[in-house]
Amino acid sequence: MGHHRTALRTTAVGAVSATLVAGGILGLAPTAQAATSGIRFVDIRSADGTVLKANVVTPADTDGTGRHPLIVFPTSWSFPQVEYLAQARRLADSGYIVLTYNVRGFWQSGGEIEVAGPPDVADASTVVDWALAHTAADPRSIGIGGVSYGAGISLLAAAHDPRIKAVAALSGWADLTGSIYSGRTEHVQAAALLDATGTVTGRHSAETRRAFDDFYSADLSKEQDLIAWGKKRSPGTYLDQLNDNGAAVMLANTWGDTIFPPNQYADFYEKLTGPKRLAFRPGDHATAELTGLFGLPNDVWTDTVRWFDHHLRGVDNGIDREQPVRIKSRSTSGYEGYPDWKSVTATTRKVNLAGTTTIRANVNSGADGGIVFLSSILDQIARLPPVASIPLLPRRWAAVWQSQTYARTQQVRGTARLHTTVTPTEESGTLVAYLYDVGPLGLGKLVTNAPYTFHGRTPGEPFGVDLELFSTAYDVPAGHRLALVVDTVDPLYIEHNPTGARLTFSSPPNDPSYVSIPLREQ
């Protein structure tokens, strides 16, 4: 369990990078927008007296006699209040009143960081109240949206405030616990990045500081408290309220999001009953939207504007007639459309995991998920995911199974699932599963991965493991094969393997082991 200290040091690089990006937007956006007469910088006082710093961007022809649809943008984690000014100006030019505000606890806004807690949800409604009282906003046409932290707050706000008619939640979460504690495993690099950037740009509340510290401690006695803390901050907890309110919800994320993996968004999308749209693209957390924040062409923001135009202004732009699920493969250009998420993963093929293999714990075999942000950005820009030489992986610390060589391209789409039987030598342990695309020379490119932790097992007694790997879209070329690799250490996660522990993987005749690969029909 001591391996996460290295991850914390590595994550400091990402923390500084994210802060510099925020600073770049802070420095550049006012220059581009300050001459616009439709921008006002205002203070909004929340119900508990906290002052929120905000910007109001209005159409140039607003004279107070007509009403305009309203869009509210809460800022991303650690980003300043000018984050959305480029997109706000674009929306204002087409007739919207746009109010962007710095969420409590960050930058010049007052209060402390509550991690989308009840005060943050109340703040969103207070901002709507202020806009209706101080601008020409139309109370019948209110939308909310944002990136990352702003996306999560937007979904929570729409579940609690029936006045909100449309939501665009970009790179956000529906299940906070399922995002950074999937497989009962702490995603330590993701948490450390949020913690570090929040410390630099804001002020943690006592509850938030305690949650981070309890998370790092990996203390099982704190587990249920942390799960309850995350559940209170998860839009999925309030799904029925969101469905009852009937807001039109657009969700967008990336395949490689190392903070909010795509699975939890896809599960949430399937349970929405109102107008909805889901899009996945290559990249890491919030990287798909980033260029749009600088006012550059960006398809995520183009979809966002179309979504608001249709659901707030009644524009017949055809977005309601398109396939609602849109995905872009990490290997090719262009989007694929599906009627629902289930259709993405409708076809599967199993790779059998035969035999019995024992591995030793506590050593990184060389197979890992990369570095938070950096690895998936390289995959997004240059199609260079993390790699490993599959023949050279030490079988002492890594279990390896491979498929046959494929005669034609295999278009992996959706969620791969691992089923196996594990016999531990200790009552607790962690394993990490990786799916690789292996070329003729044995070099494996990472397709997807996921961690799994167990506690309270009887040493020497086998038990079944069912693990969903993180959803993806990846094309395995003809002449390549797939490899499933399992080891016990990855810098992305905290591991729970006692020193000297061993894990044995088997495939009983009455319960064979396999990895199920979702494939696009060809």
Side-chain angles (χ1 to χ4, degrees):
M1 285 176 52
H3 299 281
H4 70 280
R5 292 186 179 89
T6 300
L8 292 174
R9 290 195 294 270
T10 301
T11 302
V13 176
V16 172
S17 298
T19 304
L20 289 175
V21 169
I25 294 175
L26 178 63
L28 292 176
T31 301
Q33 306 292 347
T36 303
S37 60
I39 297 176
R40 287 187 291 147
F41 293 86
V42 301
D43 290 348
I44 299 175
R45 190 170 297 275
S46 66
D48 63 2
T50 299
V51 174
L52 306 174
K53 296 295 183 176
N55 318 313
V56 183
V57 187
T58 55
D61 60 351
T62 300
D63 59 8
T65 61
R67 293 289 174 180
H68 297 265
L70 169 68
I71 296 176
V72 172
F73 285 128
T75 52
S76 303
W77 183 274
S78 291
F79 273 56
Q81 71 187 84
V82 296
E83 175 186 4
Y84 301 109
L85 277 183
Q87 290 299 325
R89 174 65 185 277
R90 176 185 178 188
L91 287 160
D93 286 346
S94 61
Y96 291 94
I97 291 173
V98 185
L99 196 156
T100 79
Y101 71 97
N102 229 134
V103 291
R104 64 171 55 219
F106 286 103
W107 294 89
Q108 290 89 3
S109 283
E112 297 175 319
I113 301 170
E114 303 290 348
V115 194
D120 292 300
V121 179
D123 286 347
S125 290
T126 297
V127 168
V128 171
D129 292 340
W130 187 94
L132 293 177
H134 296 88
T135 73
D138 185 347
R140 300 165 301 176
S141 299
I142 299 172
I144 191 169
V147 177
S148 183
Y149 196 42
I153 291 174
S154 294
L155 288 170
L156 289 163
H160 288 82
D161 192 332
R163 296 175 297 179
I164 296 171
K165 304 303 181 186
V167 182
L170 316 178
S171 292
W173 75 91
D175 181 352
L176 187 57
T177 303
S179 294
I180 61 174
Y181 190 57
S182 73
R184 211 177 175 186
T185 308
E186 295 86 355
H187 297 210
V188 68
Q189 284 194 17
L193 177 62
L194 295 173
D195 187 5
T197 53
T199 300
V200 170
T201 62
R203 303 162 299 281
H204 291 311
S205 69
E207 182 183 23
T208 298
R209 183 68 266 154
R210 184 168 59 252
F212 275 116
D213 291 343
D214 289 347
F215 185 87
Y216 298 141
S217 75
D219 183 348
L220 274 180
S221 69
K222 307 290 187 182
E223 183 180 42
Q224 291 308 311
D225 289 341
L226 281 170
I227 289 173
W229 178 86
K231 185 175 182 180
K232 184 186 296 185
R233 291 159 170 81
S234 297
T237 302
Y238 312 99
L239 179 68
D240 290 343
Q241 293 172 223
L242 183 58
N243 285 333
D244 288 345
N245 289 345
V249 177
M250 172 181 149
L251 306 172
N253 206 347
T254 55
W255 297 120
D257 194 320
T258 44
I259 296 180
F260 305 128
N263 302 46
Q264 44 93 33
Y265 244 19
D267 293 344
F268 183 70
Y269 172 84
E270 287 289 86
K271 297 172 185 175
L272 292 170
T273 57
K276 57 185 181 178
R277 185 177 179 88
L278 175 68
F280 287 130
R281 303 164 173 86
D284 206 314
H285 183 66
T287 60
E289 301 89 3
L290 186 60
T291 57
L293 296 178
F294 290 95
L296 301 174
N298 182 281
D299 58 349
V300 184
W301 284 102
T302 297
D303 275 0
T304 297
V305 173
R306 294 178 66 223
W307 189 252
F308 284 137
D309 279 349
H310 180 74
H311 291 286
L312 297 181
R313 298 175 59 213
V315 176
D316 185 11
N317 54 21
I319 198 167
D320 57 321
R321 297 187 294 275
E322 296 172 358
Q323 295 276 44
V325 175
R326 287 165 49 82
I327 68 173
K328 180 184 284 188
S329 170
R330 292 161 49 202
S331 309
T332 59
S333 301
Y335 286 92
E336 302 163 9
Y338 298 85
D340 50 38
W341 177 249
K342 293 189 295 291
S343 299
V344 177
T345 59
T347 302
T348 60
R349 179 176 298 158
K350 290 181 179 179
V351 175
N352 293 322
L353 310 179
T356 299
T357 302
T358 298
I359 61 173
R360 291 164 172 78
N362 311 120
V363 174
N364 187 342
S365 69
D368 61 54
I371 299 172
V372 65
F373 275 125
L374 177 61
S375 297
S376 291
I377 291 174
L378 285 174
D379 187 30
Q380 175 185 2
I381 296 173
R383 294 181 182 170
L384 293 174
V387 299
S389 176
I390 304 305
L392 297 181
L393 289 176
R395 273 32 177 194
R396 182 183 181 90
W397 296 297
V400 180
W401 298 266
Q402 297 192 67
S403 72
Q404 80 281 7
T405 300
Y406 295 113
R408 63 174 185 170
T409 299
Q410 303 294 296
Q411 296 182 327
V412 179
R413 300 289 186 271
T415 310
R417 291 174 170 83
L418 168 65
H419 173 75
T420 191
T421 296
V422 176
T423 304
T425 59
E426 305 289 343
E427 67 173 15
S428 294
T430 297
L431 61 92
V432 185
Y434 310 89
L435 188 67
Y436 284 98
D437 159 25
V438 184
L441 299 179
L443 186 66
K445 295 182 177 180
L446 186 65
V447 177
T448 182
N449 76 101
Y452 180 91
T453 294
F454 60 88
H455 297 287
R457 293 292 177 177
T458 302
E461 186 172 303
F463 64 94
V465 169
D466 289 286
L467 175 62
E468 283 193 352
L469 278 64
F470 299 138
S471 302
T472 194
Y474 182 97
D475 295 355
V476 180
H480 288 213
R481 63 179 66 199
L482 286 169
L484 182 81
V485 177
V486 179
D487 71 2
T488 63
V489 175
D490 190 307
L492 288 172
Y493 314 114
I494 291 179
E495 55 113 343
H496 295 259
N497 298 292
T499 300
R502 297 187 302 277
L503 301 177
T504 297
F505 301 90
S506 58
S507 183
N510 62 339
D511 186 20
S513 296
Y514 61 86
V515 58
S516 176
I517 309 297
L519 298 173
R520 183 187 184 194
E521 293 184 1
Q522 296 175 267

